Amino acid sequence: MALSLSPPLSSSSSSSSSSTSCSSVNHQTPPRKLHWIPAICSRSGFCSRGLQIRASNAGNRRAISLHAEGTSLHSSVDDKVTAPDKESSVPNTRSKEARDSSLTIIVVGASGDLARNKIFPALFALFYDDQLPQNFTAFGYARSPMTDEELRMTISKTLTCRVDKSENCNEKMSQFLKRCFYQSGQYSSEEHFSELDDRIREKEGGKTSNRLYYLAVPPTQFVDVVRCASRRSSSENGWTRMIVEKPFGRDSESSSKLTLDLKQHLTEDQIFRIDHHLGEELFESLLVLRFSNLVFEPLWSRNYIRNVQLIFSQDFGTEGRGRYFDNYGIIRDVMQNHLLQLLALFAMEPPVTLDAEDIRNEKVKVLRSIKPVSLDDVVTGQYKGYTGGNMSVPGYTDDPAVSKHSLTPTFAAAILSINNPRWDGVPFMMVAGKALHSSRAEIRVQFRHVPGNLYNRKPGANLDDATNELVIRVQPDETVYLKINNKVPGLGMRLDCSDLNLLSKSRYPGEVPDAYERLLLDAMRGERRLFIRSDELDAAWSVFTPLLNELEEKKIAPELYPYGSEGPVGVHYLGAKYNIRCEDSGY
């Protein structure tokens, strides 16, 4: 069979020259080359048109494009792919799916502080940014008697608009409040949840029903709410999901029981276990830092990293939460979930994809590789009152809701070891505490010494000060900085340690969304990457349950430290035991 092929275009007809600048050096861009791929016919007689391959290496771009014969080749190498300004709403408000479906968010425990100060403001922020579907309503459900207008008046006091997007604020707020309703009822009453279902159906107007429950209630109420909601007020033609706020039990046994009880009424895919700290920028930034920068991933192992510190400190005590906190303590409240999840993301192997299940699979592998924490590798503390100058602050046991003889730690430092080829021998030091001198959340990575460091031979040189350190911080100012050694300008040879600093508020001055906004939006979309799976929970509790049991059985007394101080002195001895430098860490 004879083929007639059009000749390739002349390369001279499409070549162009331009110059780009990189620093102070100018590079002449070579002509773009066109290569011809002739038309190909299959035995069936189907012929594909000839394709031209156009490659470009203008500036710092690398691109290759395929053009069918006869199509235009006029696009410039400087053409940009424009991303949408913001993520699509849930679902897209212009789609047929959005018009034919509804989304109802039910905040159970709507009269509490969490709902008033965090959940409803986060929902309004999403509404203000057009991230919610057009058929969206919100219901508050609690035991307190309240009307729709009373709920709207209560939550309106906590709603604010973006600092950088304040136009039409009052109008948007009014539109949002009109979509908020209230239903009073008991958490264990199926009859009351049936009444809630009737009101939701009325607002849904016969559309496909999607319902998201947020359980802002104590853990003792979880199972009752899930049972009643799943039986009497779940969707019949769409999806039903339930967000469960931590804590998820007190130890391995109680956590497993809670999971089994929830799964009597829900599938694993319907349960979204939330720790709001997982919605902070630090978690997403850590993944990007590791897996999109070639300079870091080769260093991410025992070969180059000497130790890792995960720090979470607060400059306030348990004010108003003494009763709850005394039942859990800092290890259960922060270390077993928030810091351990952070460690898992830091230490996991590269996932196959960024799909939620691939990421959570790798996290589980890390958690299962962690040895149970030993009492010998732990320091606990409890803050006491402080009086100085014109200031006087109460201690932990001065709280009327806390026993005077309480041994609950408000501070803890622990050394964790990961038993796998990447991290064998690298100590991971977790530090969490309340009533310290500053509020911070960060990861500090201390690298090993430079082998045979020539500059260490100078008298008075400090080997520890000469090591590099990477700091990834989310509070107080989100930043990533790398400590490097450099020469001080001058005639002598004097070294100094400087920071290569990416301060987010300087580079990205826009307001950062609250963690609850990200997590609520992910739950609406069914994105589970930042939520905790049941096997993750089991693996996490297995790390700390033996320690918690030993602390309580032996009645280990925590070391007292003054309110507003750097914490117990014992943490420095624990760090020295594993050659961890704590001077710059501020605890």
Side-chain angles (χ1 to χ4, degrees):
M1 179 173 60
L3 298 178
S4 176
L5 298 179
S6 300
L9 296 176
S10 170
S11 61
S12 61
S13 66
S14 59
S15 63
S16 63
S17 62
S18 61
S19 61
T20 57
S21 174
C22 180
S23 300
S24 60
V25 181
N26 292 324
H27 303 278
Q28 191 70 20
T29 303
R32 288 171 288 161
K33 297 180 180 180
L34 297 178
H35 303 277
W36 184 256
I37 300 179
I40 300 174
C41 291
S42 66
R43 291 182 179 179
S44 64
F46 172 78
C47 294
S48 63
R49 292 183 295 173
L51 298 176
Q52 297 169 15
I53 299 180
R54 183 176 65 187
S56 166
N57 59 352
N60 62 356
R61 299 177 178 86
R62 295 291 183 268
I64 186 168
S65 58
L66 297 179
H67 293 266
E69 179 184 0
T71 58
S72 173
L73 292 174
H74 59 74
S75 57
S76 166
V77 294
D78 288 325
D79 287 349
K80 296 180 180 178
V81 177
T82 304
D85 292 336
K86 53 192 175 187
E87 296 178 87
S88 60
S89 52
V90 189
N92 189 302
T93 55
R94 294 185 294 274
S95 68
K96 185 177 184 301
E97 178 188 359
R99 294 191 299 270
D100 295 343
S101 65
S102 65
L103 172 65
T104 304
I105 299 177
I106 304 98
V107 182
V108 182
S111 60
D113 290 341
L114 176 61
R116 183 173 60 252
N117 297 326
K118 291 294 184 180
I119 302 172
F120 280 108
L123 288 174
F124 172 65
L126 294 174
F127 179 81
Y128 185 82
D129 283 345
D130 297 324
Q131 295 292 335
L132 299 181
Q134 60 186 22
N135 300 318
F136 153 77
T137 55
F139 270 87
Y141 182 94
R143 292 174 295 197
S144 305
M146 194 185 304
T147 65
D148 294 344
E149 285 303 321
E150 288 173 334
L151 172 70
R152 292 165 184 166
M153 182 65 67
T154 299
I155 63 178
S156 66
K157 299 174 184 178
T158 62
L159 303 185
T160 57
C161 292
R162 300 278 191 218
V163 173
D164 53 346
K165 298 180 182 179
S166 58
E167 66 274 9
N168 301 325
C169 182
N170 291 333
E171 180 183 349
K172 280 279 193 178
M173 196 174 295
S174 178
Q175 293 173 3
F176 174 77
L177 291 173
K178 289 178 181 178
R179 295 168 179 255
C180 296
F181 306 93
Y182 185 81
Q183 179 69 31
S184 175
Q186 296 297 316
Y187 298 138
S188 58
S189 172
E190 293 188 20
E191 179 184 355
H192 291 169
F193 273 87
S194 292
E195 295 172 1
L196 171 66
D197 181 62
D198 291 339
R199 293 198 65 192
I200 294 176
R201 288 174 182 271
E202 178 186 339
K203 303 302 178 185
E204 290 172 341
K207 296 180 174 63
T208 301
S209 169
N210 296 317
R211 300 181 183 181
L212 176 65
Y213 284 82
Y214 196 113
L215 275 59
V217 293
T220 54
Q221 305 290 344
F222 285 170
V223 177
D224 284 339
V225 172
V226 168
R227 173 179 54 80
C228 295
S230 63
R231 290 180 179 178
R232 300 299 180 185
S233 58
S234 60
S235 172
E236 295 180 354
N237 56 6
W239 51 255
T240 300
R241 298 168 184 155
M242 299 199 185
I243 299 177
V244 183
E245 182 84 29
K246 75 172 181 71
F248 315 112
R250 298 187 74 256
D251 50 27
S252 294
E253 183 179 355
S254 58
S255 175
S256 297
K257 184 179 186 304
L258 176 60
T259 297
L260 290 174
D261 290 342
L262 293 178
K263 287 187 176 181
Q264 288 182 8
H265 310 284
L266 302 172
T267 65
E268 177 65 29
D269 286 345
Q270 290 181 284
I271 305 171
F272 287 71
R273 299 173 186 84
I274 186 174
D275 175 357
H276 73 274
H277 292 296
L278 302 185
E280 294 171 344
E281 285 290 328
L282 176 59
F283 285 82
E284 297 280 13
S285 298
L286 180 56
L287 291 177
V288 174
L289 185 74
R290 276 199 64 184
F291 302 127
S292 69
N293 293 285
L294 181 62
V295 68
F296 289 119
E297 182 59 22
L299 307 179
W300 224 257
S301 73
R302 63 191 300 273
N303 296 327
Y304 297 97
I305 293 179
R306 182 171 55 158
N307 64 74
V308 180
Q309 301 169 54
L310 302 104
I311 304 168
F312 183 89
S313 66
Q314 295 176 324
D315 60 1
F316 54 88
T318 60
E319 293 94 9
R321 297 177 68 237
R323 187 182 306 278
Y324 159 80
F325 191 87
D326 201 50
N327 192 41
Y328 289 94
I330 197 71
I331 297 176
R332 293 184 177 95
D333 192 46
V334 176
M335 298 180 77
Q336 179 274 334
N337 39 68
H338 171 43
L339 289 185
L340 201 55
Q341 286 288 317
L342 195 58
L343 184 152
L345 277 176
F346 179 94
M348 73 180 187
E349 295 298 317
V352 177
T353 70
L354 290 178
D355 180 76
E357 294 310 307
D358 289 334
I359 291 177
R360 298 201 289 187
N361 288 341
E362 296 301 331
K363 287 164 59 181
V364 169
K365 292 178 185 177
V366 172
L367 292 172
R368 288 176 174 170
S369 300
I370 300 175
K371 302 174 182 177
V373 181
S374 168
L375 184 60
D376 294 335
D377 291 331
V378 174
V379 171
T380 60
Q382 187 185 94
Y383 69 87
K384 60 182 180 180
Y386 171 80
T387 302
N390 297 325
M391 183 180 70
S392 179
V393 289
Y396 175 69
T397 56
D398 294 329
D399 189 323
V402 176
S403 168
K404 294 292 183 183
H405 306 289
S406 174
L407 299 179
T408 301
T410 60
F411 178 100
I415 301 294
L416 281 72
S417 301
I418 302 177
N419 186 27
N420 68 16
R422 183 185 286 260
W423 297 111
D424 185 31
V426 177
F428 285 76
M429 187 173 188
M430 281 188 182
V431 179
K434 290 183 172 293
L436 298 173
H437 72 296
S438 65
S439 290
R440 284 189 307 155
E442 66 184 22
I443 304 173
R444 305 183 76 94
V445 184
Q446 293 181 357
F447 292 91
R448 296 191 180 278
H449 306 135
V450 177
N453 192 338
L454 297 174
Y455 295 98
N456 246 5
R457 300 175 184 176
K458 296 178 65 65
N462 188 328
L463 188 64
D464 279 339
D465 290 343
T467 58
N468 303 121
E469 187 172 26
L470 175 68
V471 179
I472 309 166
R473 176 179 296 164
V474 67
Q475 292 178 4
D477 293 318
E478 187 180 338
T479 184
V480 177
Y481 65 89
L482 178 66
K483 290 187 175 184
I484 63 168
N485 299 309
N486 62 282
K487 178 184 176 298
V488 176
L491 297 178
M493 178 55 69
R494 188 162 63 91
L495 302 185
D496 190 22
C497 184
S498 300
D499 297 340
L500 299 179
N501 195 346
L502 171 61
L503 185 62
S504 289
K505 68 179 181 182
S506 299
R507 181 68 175 84
Y508 309 105
E511 187 176 355
V512 178
D514 184 76
Y516 281 96
E517 296 175 39
R518 184 192 308 276
L519 293 169
L520 282 166
L521 191 59
D522 281 355
M524 296 175 209
R525 290 174 170 166
E527 169 58 62
R528 296 170 174 80
R529 181 171 49 180
L530 297 176
F531 295 89
I532 302 170
R533 205 167 60 189
S534 59
D535 55 345
E536 283 184 76
L537 196 58
D538 293 340
W541 275 117
S542 67
V543 174
F544 281 102
T545 294
L547 169 69
L548 292 167
N549 291 339
E550 192 171 3
L551 285 171
E552 292 172 359
E553 289 169 3
K554 294 183 177 180
K555 300 186 182 300
I556 304 296
E559 179 183 343
L560 297 179
Y561 61 94
Y563 192 113
S565 67
E566 294 186 355
V569 176
V571 68
H572 295 278
Y573 292 102
L574 179 63
K577 177 180 175 181
Y578 287 91
N579 195 26
I580 298 175
R581 190 175 76 247
C582 301
E583 287 80 3
D584 297 333
S585 303
Y587 51 77

